[in-house]
Amino acid sequence: MADYRIETVRTGERDWTARNDRGAEVRIAAADDPGAQPSFTPVELLLAALGGCGGLVVDRTARSVEHDALRIVVESVSRPEDDGRVGTVRVSYELALPEGDRSAAETLERAIRLTHEKYCTVSRTVEHGARVEAIGPDGTMLFMGG
């Protein structure tokens, strides 16, 4: 696994910018601060990292399936008893597969499982402290951990 370095600098009250060594930037602020919008909250960045990692892995592991229209939706679900933590992270893979193409469905399902079981460093890391659910295009749960 590669090592990463992110620099996060304060750009205003409750307003931060994170930068990587390749020059990319993302604004981080509180969701309830209208003066710091548009921005991501830290939890939203975590969810974006899960979706992005899943997409990059599926690109590699499901090359034989047309998945240009794949949409990955990552949601956090928290309850009061989660004590300030994200209780559940749900990663849903949405894609209309060709009708009756069981091979394509099996390939995509395998890629989604491999994403969370083996290849997505972000998901595998989060699983130690949060429950992660991967939901397939047909609504079935393909993976649950944490």
Side-chain angles (χ1 to χ4, degrees), residues 40-54 72-77 86 88-91 122 126:
F40 282 91
T41 68
V43 172
E44 290 169 335
L45 287 173
L46 175 67
L47 302 180
L50 282 161
C53 188
I72 302 171
V73 178
V74 186
E75 301 170 282
S76 66
V77 180
V86 172
T88 300
V89 175
R90 181 171 294 128
V91 185
V122 177
V126 169

Side-chain angles (χ1 to χ4, degrees), residues 55-78:
L56 290 169
V57 172
V58 168
D59 278 348
R60 178 170 288 165
T61 57
R63 287 182 287 234
S64 65
V65 175
E66 175 59 49
H67 62 275
D68 286 346
L70 177 62
R71 183 173 105 135
I72 302 171
V73 178
V74 186
E75 301 170 282
S76 66
V77 180
S78 299

